[in-house]
Amino acid sequence: MSVLIGSAMAFVVRGVRVLCPVLCWWLMVMHTTALPAQVPAATTIIVGGRMFTADTAAPWAEALAIRGDRIVAVGSRRDIERMATAATRRIVLNGEVVIPGINDAHVHLGFLVPIAPSMPFTSNVAAGPSPAMVRDSLAALASRTPAGTWLRGEMGMAIRRDSSLRRAALDSITPNHPVLLSATYGHGSMVNTAAMRRVKLMESATDPDGGWYERDARGVLTGLLDGSAQVPVWDAYASSHAAAIIDHLEQLGRTYAGWGVTSVQQMSSGMRPATVQATFARAALRMRVRIIAWPAPDRDRVWRRVAGKTLAPLVRVSGTKLVVDGTPIEGWALKRVAYTGRPGWYGRPYYPTDAVHRFLQQSLARREQPMLHVVGDSAMVLVLNIMQQVAPDSVWRERRPRLEHANGLTEELAVIARRLGVIVSQPRGPAAQLLLWQRAGITVAYGSDAEPANPFVAMAGWTTSVNGSPVLSREAAVLRLTRDPAFAEFADAEKGTLAVGKLADLAVLSQDIFTIPAAQIGSTRSVLTLLGGVVVHDTRAASR
């Protein structure tokens, strides 16, 4: 009897060993394809590729099917082929890698585009052009430009530190052209009297919330503007060149589609809603655009009328932004240690503490996602302390608060930020800081803070070895480009992964970013980009 029992048990064990791999494979296929018993027809199928879905439940697949603008199945080529009819468009790949559409979570599209007569400076971003360069170039530009036309140029610390080049000096060069000189990184502008008249800026003007005007010893405006004081001039410049900005946005759309970018999150860069509607809402875009209100609605009531609305099929408004401090370049980042060479100077906040407190309270009351530009470590302490005072951790986690830049998010503060559910967007810090945030479990969403910017250059940096190991794995880097930015805009139910029910936003890549050397990743391009199932970029057609 014992022999019989032993033989029976051995038979069962052998059977399990044989059947288990088969059963596991069958379960994986059924989970991956998620095909219904009655297979629906697809309008498009994509087969023959290696698809990184960014879906942790099933990260890789062979094929997918699309109906309309949605993905209806992801799985094996055999099962996806079953969904094709004579009317189905078939995209047959040759082993190329497919990823979800890339989402740039922090951009400034159309921001002070040099579309007006401009002084073409190529200079260090921080230093900017010299005062002598500005004087000479502005005089030459004014001499060949009709009066009343905006003249544009750059400025940096060289002009900030030279008190001789202010409004009066610009007036002496060209009193009949409105002049706007701006720091390329957005913190600081210089205007002349003609520009002040365009925006009805009077000598008696008081500093606006979140900004200020420089005045000389007599109390006269010098023309140097900071923070939100720049907004009226920025908007006047943009609204005067709406048609040119539309052309610029359409060109950017083509460029971004060539990188597989299908979504961007636009920090509105001082444009008023009317200017946004006259530009973004009218442009033939090739990407989805989320407009983030700035200045915040509690300072600019007109934003309240469009908050949460869709301005055009690809353009919607959501979220509010508050600029808490500046940057270390001009010395406005709020730091705990005094600036080198400036004893007693720790930076300058854009808002008093009670205003930051009120902004966070209002964002919760309106159920809006708060986004705070925070750079200095002292500003970071201020924001995190106020958040803890305003609401418990569970409330904040529900609202997914974002910190833009977050250079001052140290290891000790990262623990608090993680507990509050903070998302970091547009990381510019060194590799060590990114590793710190990753170890703390903080979601980090890719943001370029520029236009245009190749996302694969950023990926190459994250996946290049630092002290013997990369900051991120290839797979984690793609999640930072796709899934995490979607989560950071409350759109993870709609996009960010290649999964059933999601928008068919995807990119077919020119090379395998998961296997090539990290140094080659930056040269990657999209050979085919789909936005809601519609082809918006295709270099394969040209090659054929």
Side-chain angles (χ1 to χ4, degrees):
M1 179 66 69
S2 60
V3 174
L4 290 174
I5 293 174
S7 299
M9 290 182 65
F11 177 78
V12 171
V13 169
R14 283 196 299 271
V16 169
R17 285 176 178 170
V18 171
L19 290 174
C20 186
V22 176
L23 180 62
C24 291
W25 173 86
W26 181 82
L27 289 172
M28 180 188 72
V29 169
M30 290 302 294
H31 174 81
T32 304
T33 59
L35 289 177
Q38 178 107 28
V39 178
T43 51
T44 300
I45 63 169
I46 304 177
V47 298
R50 294 182 58 238
M51 303 193 179
F52 181 71
T53 67
D55 181 355
T56 53
W60 291 95
E62 294 178 341
L64 62 79
I66 300 167
R67 190 185 311 111
D69 65 348
R70 302 279 170 169
I71 297 171
V72 291
V74 181
S76 70
R77 178 168 185 167
R78 183 194 64 186
D79 286 333
I80 297 302
E81 292 272 16
R82 290 168 52 205
M83 303 179 68
T85 68
T88 300
R89 175 179 57 180
R90 302 169 60 90
I91 299 176
V92 181
L93 305 180
N94 188 29
E96 291 96 340
V97 165
V98 181
I99 64 172
I102 294 171
N103 186 338
D104 191 331
H106 185 118
V107 297
H108 295 276
L109 305 186
F111 174 60
L112 300 178
V113 181
I115 46 184
S118 304
M119 293 167 269
F121 298 126
T122 54
S123 58
N124 178 280
V125 170
S130 69
M133 290 172 62
V134 171
R135 291 175 188 273
D136 293 345
S137 298
L138 184 58
L141 195 60
S143 67
R144 60 177 185 267
T145 305
T149 305
W150 279 96
L151 303 182
R152 273 276 295 116
E154 295 176 10
M155 64 169 277
M157 294 308 298
I159 290 177
R160 271 188 179 274
R161 292 171 179 151
D162 189 339
S163 58
S164 70
L165 189 61
R166 290 293 191 264
R167 166 187 164 194
L170 298 179
D171 288 347
S172 68
I173 299 170
T174 174
N176 300 317
H177 298 85
V179 176
L180 171 59
L181 308 179
S182 289
T184 54
Y185 57 94
H187 294 266
S189 294
M190 182 80 67
V191 297
N192 66 349
T193 301
M196 289 172 55
R197 288 180 184 141
R198 283 288 179 94
V199 297
K200 299 180 173 58
L201 175 57
M202 312 298 292
E203 292 288 352
S204 58
T206 58
D207 289 347
D209 292 342
W212 54 88
Y213 309 110
E214 183 187 71
R215 298 178 184 272
D216 62 19
R218 299 171 298 154
V220 176
L221 297 178
T222 68
L224 182 61
L225 319 173
D226 271 297
S228 62
Q230 304 169 92
V231 172
V233 182
W234 287 347
D235 184 70
Y237 173 82
S239 61
S240 298
H241 302 89
I245 290 177
I246 289 173
D247 289 343
H248 179 75
L249 292 174
E250 292 176 349
Q251 179 181 347
L252 284 176
R254 292 188 287 272
T255 300
Y256 277 116
W259 286 322
V261 176
T262 55
S263 293
V264 296
Q265 300 178 46
Q266 162 75 356
M267 302 294 165
S268 54
S269 305
M271 286 186 183
R272 306 282 184 183
T275 309
V276 170
Q277 289 176 304
T279 52
F280 284 87
R282 295 183 182 179
L285 300 170
R286 301 184 182 209
M287 55 196 172
R288 305 182 195 281
V289 180
R290 177 200 191 188
I291 303 290
I292 296 161
W294 185 81
D298 64 339
R299 287 186 287 128
D300 189 353
R301 298 295 180 184
V302 71
W303 273 111
R304 301 303 312 146
R305 294 197 290 271
V306 295
K309 293 184 178 180
T310 298
L311 303 184
L314 296 176
V315 182
R316 67 185 182 91
V317 178
S318 71
T320 58
K321 177 185 174 183
L322 188 79
V323 180
V324 177
D325 64 345
T327 79
I329 297 175
E330 78 287 346
W332 297 142
L334 201 57
K335 299 171 60 177
R336 289 191 275 189
V337 177
Y339 280 77
T340 303
R342 301 180 68 180
W345 180 253
Y346 298 88
R348 177 175 179 175
Y350 278 32
Y351 290 94
T353 300
D354 63 334
V356 179
H357 196 283
R358 186 168 58 253
F359 170 80
L360 289 169
Q361 283 183 318
Q362 290 177 342
S363 70
L364 289 180
R366 295 168 178 162
R367 297 192 61 78
E368 293 174 339
Q369 183 184 29
M371 280 159 275
L372 299 100
H373 166 115
V374 188
V375 175
D377 54 359
S378 184
M380 186 66 66
V381 171
L382 171 72
V383 168
L384 294 178
N385 283 343
I386 294 175
M387 288 179 67
Q388 293 176 94
Q389 295 167 17
V390 168
D393 302 347
S394 58
V395 173
W396 284 119
R397 285 195 294 271
E398 181 188 352
R399 297 316 311 150
R400 302 182 192 180
R402 281 176 44 168
L403 301 181
E404 311 299 311
H405 312 294
N407 302 61
L409 188 57
T410 60
E411 185 171 7
E412 59 177 315
L413 298 176
V415 175
I416 302 171
R418 172 68 180 87
R419 194 172 65 241
L420 293 165
V422 161
I423 298 167
V424 171
S425 177
Q426 197 274 303
R428 286 285 191 177
Q433 190 171 40
L434 298 179
L435 281 170
L436 181 156
W437 295 341
Q438 184 179 340
R439 286 196 299 267
I442 293 174
T443 298
V444 179
Y446 162 70
S448 65
D449 196 28
E451 63 143 66
N454 182 351
F456 295 106
V457 171
M459 179 179 173
W462 301 332
T463 55
T464 299
S465 292
V466 178
N467 298 325
S469 62
V471 176
L472 293 176
S473 69
R474 305 293 178 92
E475 291 78 6
V478 175
L479 295 182
R480 179 171 287 179
L481 294 172
T482 58
R483 186 194 66 182
D484 295 343
F487 180 82
E489 63 166 319
F490 281 92
D492 46 314
E494 289 283 294
K495 56 187 177 181
T497 60
L498 301 179
V500 174
K502 300 288 184 74
L503 289 163
D505 297 354
L506 57 86
V508 179
L509 303 184
S510 60
Q511 51 187 351
D512 188 344
I513 57 175
F514 296 98
T515 60
I516 61 174
Q520 297 177 19
I521 293 176
S523 63
T524 304
R525 297 292 184 270
S526 174
V527 298
L528 176 67
T529 305
L530 268 60
L531 184 70
V534 175
V535 174
V536 293
H537 172 78
D538 188 359
T539 60
R540 304 178 323 137
S543 65
R544 288 195 297 268

